[in-house]
Amino acid sequence: MAAPGKVAAFHLPPLPTIGEIIKLFRLKAKKQLSQNFLLDLRLTDKIVKQAGKLKNAHVCEVGPGPGGITRSILSADVEQLLLVEKDPRFIPGLQMLSEAAPGKVRIVHGDILTYKMEKAFPKHLKKNWEDEPPDIHIIGNLPFSVSTPLIIKWLENVSRKDGPFIYGRTQMTLTFQKEVAERLTANPGGKQRSRLSIMSQHLCTVENCFVIPGQAFVPKPEVDVAVVHFTPLVTPKIQQPFELVEKVVQSVFQFRRKYCFRGIETLFPENGRLKRTEQLMMTANVDPTLRPFQLSMSQFRSLCDTYRKMCDEDPGLFVYNYREELRQKKRKKLTNNISHPEETEEEDQL
């Protein structure tokens, strides 16, 4: 019995273990879906703890699978838990958990990449962007195949303040391959500094929380897994549209081992490319002999701001596509029956 004046904490009733659920419903991880089950509830508790205070919060769990993290989220005494699961084999086991926590769980059989998060939570939870984050969290042990496209999608949502971020600065606690997590959090000069580093860090505070060894999963993946926590920033470090920032950053990292001007050249059509590249780098005050991974966030901001001005002066510039120009040149060569067995360096790197 709870002490006077205290509300009893929520406890799940006795349930089969995750291992028993897997046997009961004959669940087997599908390699083509890059599924790996986490059975150790001490580790699932640790993941959920990284999300922060979840008591009375609303949580969306991505790809709950057999329900290990689900149990830890429910044990944190959340108000509501939304489960989005693509694989129908896991639904019966999740329904068992739903019945053990009456009124707390909602199960959606669907793909998180296409699921509309704008209406996933009650309207009264909405907060202004400048306020503290809302009582909403996204948590998930993501399949490796979906983790990068999903975080890019959500970063775009952060930039536009839509999707799950229509409610405010919704926090995310997600798993990634250790190497991807290192890219997300890499500092300038670090060997893992990449497009992901800039796109995530200019929009969010990104924290690499801890590493889970591969042997903790069933089946054991070939790599270790890291838990990463994201909190959207009140003010992005680069205040330009997501598409423009992504285009500049992608171009810079296109030739990672070369000087950064080599990638920046690909922002411009062949006609006048050198002159415009020099103009961009001089105006942005960026040393053209720096490698892409050496550039700071402020240098990327300067490049994006300058490129935006150039696009405003030449509206056709932003739609220019370097790869498309390469393809057209190749088609032209084929049409003229010119044999080029060796690939150009640009085509090889792209």
Side-chain angles (χ1 to χ4, degrees):
M1 192 172 181
K6 289 190 176 181
V7 178
F10 176 79
H11 292 290
L12 284 167
L15 288 164
T17 65
I18 299 299
E20 288 167 346
I21 290 280
I22 289 170
K23 286 179 184 174
L24 179 64
F25 295 105
R26 297 177 181 177
L27 301 173
K28 191 176 179 182
K30 287 187 176 178
K31 193 172 182 180
Q32 65 267 36
L33 297 177
S34 58
Q35 292 173 339
N36 302 95
F37 304 150
L38 189 55
L39 308 186
D40 189 336
L41 292 182
R42 290 169 301 178
L43 285 171
T44 61
D45 285 347
K46 193 176 178 183
I47 292 171
V48 170
K49 194 175 179 182
Q50 297 301 322
K53 183 176 173 289
L54 293 185
K55 186 175 172 62
N56 300 327
H58 288 247
V59 177
C60 172
E61 186 188 353
V62 183
I69 293 177
T70 313
R71 296 183 185 212
S72 296
I73 295 170
L74 287 170
S75 296
D77 203 5
V78 297
E79 181 72 22
Q80 282 285 323
L81 174 57
L82 167 66
L83 303 175
V84 182
E85 177 54 64
K86 183 179 180 180
D87 192 332
R89 298 175 304 143
F90 296 121
I91 302 298
L94 296 174
Q95 284 170 340
M96 184 183 287
L97 275 174
S98 177
E99 289 161 12
K104 281 186 177 283
V105 180
R106 181 159 58 99
I107 301 169
V108 171
H109 176 212
D111 188 343
I112 193 64
L113 282 167
T114 55
Y115 180 64
K116 302 293 182 187
M117 296 280 282
E118 290 86 347
K119 297 176 182 177
F121 304 104
K123 289 181 181 178
H124 74 264
L125 295 173
K126 280 190 181 183
K127 287 198 175 184
N128 293 324
W129 196 258
E130 299 76 22
D131 295 341
E132 287 297 305
D135 242 359
I136 296 173
H137 295 261
I138 298 172
I139 299 175
N141 174 30
L142 304 179
F144 296 155
S145 60
V146 79
S147 61
T148 301
L150 183 57
I151 195 59
I152 289 292
K153 176 185 187 298
W154 277 340
L155 288 170
E156 185 170 3
N157 289 145
V158 171
S159 176
R160 296 177 175 180
K161 300 176 185 174
D162 62 11
F165 307 96
I166 201 167
Y167 302 92
R169 295 185 296 120
T170 300
Q171 296 177 80
M172 301 182 285
T173 308
L174 306 167
T175 61
F176 296 89
Q177 284 178 261
K178 184 184 172 188
E179 187 179 314
V180 175
E182 287 170 351
R183 287 181 202 156
L184 285 162
T185 56
N187 293 317
K191 64 178 183 178
Q192 295 285 20
R193 186 76 162 175
S194 67
R195 173 182 75 119
L196 269 182
S197 317
I198 310 304
M199 298 309 295
S200 57
Q201 293 171 35
H202 104 83
L203 290 163
C204 298
T205 300
V206 191
E207 181 189 358
N208 193 337
C209 303
F210 66 95
V211 174
I212 304 173
Q215 60 259 32
F217 293 86
V218 178
K220 177 183 175 293
E222 294 176 5
V223 295
D224 291 337
V225 172
V227 177
V228 182
H229 184 75
F230 300 81
T231 306
L233 295 165
V234 173
T235 306
K237 291 179 181 173
I238 304 172
Q239 296 189 51
Q240 294 295 348
F242 184 87
E243 295 84 355
L244 185 141
V245 178
E246 188 174 41
K247 185 178 182 184
V248 171
V249 173
Q250 223 165 13
S251 297
V252 170
F253 280 101
Q254 198 149 230
F255 301 101
R256 180 181 173 79
R257 292 182 178 84
K258 296 185 179 293
Y259 293 143
C260 64
F261 80 83
R262 181 66 193 87
I264 289 169
E265 281 184 324
T266 65
L267 288 167
F268 304 106
E270 192 171 21
N271 184 21
R273 176 173 289 156
L274 183 60
K275 185 180 178 182
R276 285 176 136 180
T277 302
E278 288 174 351
Q279 179 192 344
L280 173 56
M281 303 222 68
M282 284 181 66
T283 309
N285 194 26
V286 172
D287 182 349
T289 63
L290 288 172
R291 310 284 177 185
F293 58 87
Q294 293 176 309
L295 296 180
S296 67
M297 188 65 75
S298 61
Q299 287 171 315
F300 271 105
R301 178 172 61 240
S302 189
L303 286 169
C304 289
D305 290 346
T306 306
Y307 179 65
R308 170 67 184 270
K309 287 176 185 172
M310 295 174 81
C311 288
D312 288 344
E313 290 166 6
D314 178 2
L317 182 57
F318 184 70
V319 296
Y320 165 72
N321 187 308
Y322 176 71
R323 294 177 186 223
E324 184 57 35
E325 186 178 72
L326 277 181
R327 280 192 287 267
Q328 286 178 3
K329 283 170 74 176
K330 197 171 183 179
R331 277 198 294 267
K332 194 172 181 181
K333 284 178 184 177
L334 290 169
T335 304
N336 293 334
N337 294 320
I338 299 172
S339 178
H340 285 275
E342 75 287 347
E343 288 184 316
T344 66
E345 184 185 9
E346 290 99 332
E347 287 166 338
D348 185 48
Q349 291 213 33
L350 289 170

